[in-house]
Amino acid sequence: MLDTTKIMDNSFAADVLMGLAASQKTIPCRWLYDTRGSELFEDITGLPEYYPTRTETKILQARADAIARLAGDGAQLIEYGAGASVKTRLLLDAMAGLHAYVPIDVSASFLAETARQLACDYPDLNIVPVVGDFLSPIELPALGAAGRKVGFFPGSTIGNLSDAEIADFFARARQDLGTGALFVLGADLKKDEAILIPAYDDAAGVTARFNLNLLRRINRELGATFELDWFSHEARWNEVCSRVEMHLVSLRDQTAHVCGKRVDFAAGETIHTENSRKFAAGELSKLAAKQSWRTQETWTDEDGLFSVMVLEAG
């Protein structure tokens, strides 16, 4: 049997060492989501400053029946980066004829707990969790359903990706899901910086703990020596790239060791841990169209903060 946990461990070490050796130190944001990181992110989604979750939830509540009608009976719902699958329940409740739900997540333990809870609440639903990174090839289970496959990618996680990564993701999802499949996608929209920055640097410090947990994970899993009190969390708006960036800022000149390798920091130097890109109207539709996805629907809230798109594979 393939040991996916070992593969993930090796990938984690490789990404950390490569990223910390770069001139702008960086670590891919997927490694923020160990079990504790996933729990903290779920806490973030309930914060008053964090508008994306509640705004997207309202859109999905209003449009879940429409999505169910588009999906039809016997569909398979495949969620990329499932987390706690909170918003997914809106679709599960609306899609009465659903054949199966396939949650995909990088955190095996968090995914197992999510699947367990869903199985209790939806005892007649076939739930088939898959441990995997949505930025890498994923082998979906053969479930033998005659209905449509419906991809689900909420939460504006698409905003963590570059144009090249978005193109690769759309291409892989198109291959995974097949011709005629649907894809339900959440995307955050461009807005004032005064709304954006507090969403990623909340007054209660939950996002700071989420970001700093990455260093704690590196210490635990890779035997590193980071002093967490010597780093702080910072959210920055990058106007040129239309994105909020999360950084871990070194508060002093210091040295850490990771996998036996020395990593030096100057005071003020940062580790770039996440991008959260904000899209202009129609921008994602154009990127999706290049990978043979047609936009069927685009729904936004009344304030124009967030959008939910329904794409169809041509």
Side-chain angles (χ1 to χ4, degrees):
M1 180 179 291
L2 182 62
D3 187 347
T4 55
T5 302
K6 186 65 174 177
I7 291 172
M8 296 296 285
D9 288 346
N10 291 341
S11 298
F12 182 39
D15 280 351
V16 169
L17 291 173
M18 184 184 307
L20 293 179
S23 55
Q24 168 59 71
K25 293 179 172 63
T26 184
I27 297 173
C29 64
R30 62 182 175 273
W31 300 118
L32 291 163
Y33 298 92
D34 63 349
T35 299
R36 182 57 180 153
S38 296
E39 291 170 349
L40 285 167
F41 182 74
E42 293 305 321
D43 292 343
I44 288 169
T45 63
L47 294 170
E49 299 97 329
Y50 195 77
Y51 64 87
T53 298
R54 63 177 178 270
T55 307
E56 183 181 31
T57 297
K58 289 179 180 178
I59 297 171
L60 289 171
Q61 286 172 333
R63 303 296 183 175
D65 288 342
I67 293 169
R69 286 193 296 271
L70 289 169
D73 289 337
Q76 295 178 38
L77 183 64
I78 295 102
E79 183 172 5
Y80 294 86
S85 300
V86 174
K87 284 171 281 193
T88 316
R89 291 170 179 263
L90 298 171
L91 299 189
L92 296 180
D93 291 341
M95 299 170 75
L98 192 65
H99 177 74
Y101 171 53
V102 182
I104 302 167
D105 200 86
V106 71
S107 175
S109 57
F110 197 78
L111 179 64
E113 178 59 21
T114 295
R116 186 194 66 78
Q117 292 178 2
L118 287 171
C120 292
D121 295 337
Y122 299 88
D124 297 327
L125 178 61
N126 185 20
I127 301 171
V128 187
V130 174
V131 177
D133 175 8
F134 63 78
L135 289 178
S136 302
I138 295 171
E139 185 175 349
L140 294 178
L143 299 175
R148 268 179 157 174
K149 289 182 178 177
V150 180
F152 188 40
F153 197 41
S156 196
T157 308
I158 195 78
N160 297 152
L161 312 181
S162 66
D163 278 359
E165 289 171 328
I166 290 172
D168 287 346
F169 175 67
F170 276 141
R172 280 196 305 274
R174 170 69 178 76
Q175 184 175 1
D176 290 343
L177 303 176
T179 302
L182 295 182
F183 202 100
V184 181
L185 174 69
D188 204 1
L189 302 176
K190 289 185 176 181
K191 59 187 64 67
D192 193 275
E193 183 178 348
I195 298 173
L196 289 170
I197 292 300
Y200 295 87
D201 193 7
D202 60 279
V206 182
T207 311
R209 292 195 291 276
F210 170 67
N211 202 11
L212 285 161
N213 181 66
L214 177 59
L215 298 183
R216 183 175 286 108
R217 179 182 186 180
I218 295 170
N219 283 351
R220 182 181 68 249
E221 296 185 19
L222 303 182
T225 61
F226 285 108
E227 292 285 349
L228 271 65
D229 290 342
W230 295 355
F231 288 86
S232 67
H233 163 73
E234 183 178 329
R236 302 175 179 176
W237 172 244
N238 184 326
E239 179 66 35
V240 173
C241 298
S242 188
R243 70 192 187 197
V244 177
E245 298 177 356
M246 290 204 325
H247 291 258
L248 290 167
V249 183
S250 177
L251 300 177
R252 60 176 75 183
D253 293 344
Q254 59 177 301
T255 297
H257 291 85
V258 184
C259 297
K261 296 185 180 296
R262 174 176 172 145
V263 183
D264 294 320
F265 291 85
E269 189 175 3
T270 75
I271 306 172
H272 186 177
T273 57
E274 186 176 56
N275 294 318
S276 188
R277 182 173 169 185
K278 312 305 170 186
F279 295 93
E283 187 176 359
L284 265 177
S285 290
K286 292 177 182 177
L287 292 171
K290 293 179 180 178
Q291 306 302 328
S292 300
W293 289 98
R294 297 187 299 267
T295 301
Q296 280 200 348
E297 300 283 356
T298 300
W299 300 306
T300 63
D301 61 286
E302 60 184 13
D303 296 320
L305 297 175
F306 203 92
S307 69
V308 172
M309 304 170 61
V310 179
L311 310 174
E312 183 178 25

